[in-house]
């Protein structure tokens, strides 16, 4: 009976103490009295706790750090820069989709209906591959000649060359390389050939086969 009475007193008292501590003004706390010195801190989040797994990212073509320097990483990083990864966007200059294609470039790879292109993600993905294949064929000699060299403070890599060609066309990439950075075209939004060369350097684009007649087929 006595034990029961003590319990009935202690529990409500404990609850009151906890509530008082919770409501105690934070301004009275002294941050200098707390320290992380001597603690082993780890700010890395394991994949188990990540919101998006690597397999999920690859399957749904999402731009995440998991993709690294793979071809998927290259493709999605470039798409993120171009459009934020939005298949259905059109910019102020009329460039279309996830990879921001112009109508004239689409014609080169066999696409003559921009509206159909804009609302067809599968077609956009195939267009990116076909355009990269065509650009790689046009720039094949320059890739061989300049890859690994430094121009205008940038290490030249195949992926950087292909990204810059996507931005400004293979002709302007040739001019940049052969002028050793003297010809550095920028688009209407201020992105330059040199900037793309640097930003997209070092990705694995070996799966892109150079193809002079690359076309899109569904």
């Amino acid at each position: 009976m006595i034990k029961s009475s003590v319990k009935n007193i202690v529990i409500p008292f404990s609850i009151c103490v906890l509530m008082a501590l919770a409501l105690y003004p934070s301004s009275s706390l002294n941050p200098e009295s707390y320290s992380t010195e001597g603690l082993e801190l780890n700010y890395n989040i394991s994949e188990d706790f990540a919101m998006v797994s690597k397999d999920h990212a690859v399957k749904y073509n999402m731009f995440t750090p998991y993709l690294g320097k793979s071809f998927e990483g290259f493709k999605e990083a470039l798409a993120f820069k171009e459009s934020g990864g939005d298949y259905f966007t059109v910019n102020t200059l009329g460039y279309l989709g996830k990879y921001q294609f112009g109508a004239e470039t689409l014609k080169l790879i066999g696409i003559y209906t921009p509206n159909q292109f804009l609302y067809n993600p599968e077609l956009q993905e195939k267009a990116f591959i076909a355009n990269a294949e065509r650009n790689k064929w046009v720039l094949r000699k320059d890739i061989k000649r300049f890859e690994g060299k430094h121009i205008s403070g940038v290490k030249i890599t195949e992926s950087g060359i292909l990204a810059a060609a996507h931005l400004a066309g293979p002709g302007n990439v040739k001019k940049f390389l052969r002028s050793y950075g003297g010809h550095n075209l920028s688009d209407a939004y201020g992105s330059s050939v040199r900037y793309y060369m640097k930003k997209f350097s070092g990705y694995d684009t070996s799966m892109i086969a150079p193809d002079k007649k690359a076309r899109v087929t569904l």
Side-chain angles (χ1 to χ4, degrees):
M1 188 72 174
I2 295 176
K3 288 182 180 180
S4 177
S5 299
V6 171
K7 185 184 295 185
N8 290 337
I9 295 172
V10 170
I11 292 175
F13 178 76
S14 299
I15 293 173
C16 291
V17 170
L18 291 173
M19 290 180 64
L21 289 173
L23 297 173
Y24 196 78
S26 59
S27 59
S28 64
L29 297 176
N30 181 10
E32 295 181 357
S33 64
Y34 296 89
S35 173
T36 58
E37 184 178 355
L39 296 178
E40 183 178 345
L41 302 177
N42 185 353
Y43 297 103
N44 294 319
I45 300 175
S46 69
E47 185 172 321
D48 292 339
F49 292 97
M51 293 180 66
V52 182
S53 71
K54 179 178 180 180
D55 292 339
H56 184 90
V58 172
K59 181 177 179 181
Y60 294 102
N61 293 323
M62 298 171 65
F63 172 53
T64 80
Y66 288 127
L67 298 178
K69 291 292 186 176
S70 67
F71 178 70
E72 285 293 335
F74 170 72
K75 189 163 62 73
E76 297 308 315
L78 186 55
F80 190 80
K81 176 66 177 69
E82 291 289 320
S83 70
D86 185 352
Y87 283 110
F88 309 112
T89 189
V90 181
N91 77 3
T92 57
L93 299 176
Y95 287 82
L96 307 164
K98 180 178 177 180
Y99 302 102
Q100 293 291 279
F101 276 97
E104 294 304 312
T105 300
L106 290 177
K107 289 178 183 178
L108 292 175
I109 53 177
I111 298 174
Y112 302 95
T113 52
N115 281 340
Q116 179 189 7
F117 172 80
L118 182 62
Y119 294 104
N120 190 329
E122 182 183 358
L123 189 60
Q124 292 189 33
E125 294 297 334
K126 290 188 174 185
F128 180 83
I129 299 297
N131 188 55
E133 289 174 340
R134 180 181 175 277
N135 286 338
K136 189 168 180 177
W137 184 86
V138 174
L139 291 161
R140 66 197 185 283
K141 293 180 181 178
D142 296 274
I143 292 170
K144 185 176 181 179
R145 177 183 173 186
F146 292 102
E147 190 172 19
K149 294 183 178 180
H150 286 78
I151 294 177
S152 191
V154 176
K155 183 178 180 180
I156 305 303
T157 65
E158 181 180 283
S159 62
I161 288 174
L162 293 180
H166 183 87
L167 172 76
N172 284 306
V173 174
K174 283 188 178 187
K175 291 178 181 178
F176 174 86
L177 293 171
R178 296 178 186 185
S179 68
Y180 286 86
H183 182 90
N184 183 30
L185 183 75
S186 296
D187 70 4
Y189 301 104
S191 294
S192 68
V193 168
R194 180 188 179 279
Y195 174 74
Y196 267 49
M197 286 270 193
K198 182 176 181 179
K199 184 173 180 64
F200 300 104
S201 173
Y203 286 87
D204 181 6
T205 52
S206 59
M207 63 85 62
I208 294 294
D211 185 354
K212 180 181 180 180
K213 298 180 179 180
R215 297 292 185 276
V216 175
T217 56
L218 284 179

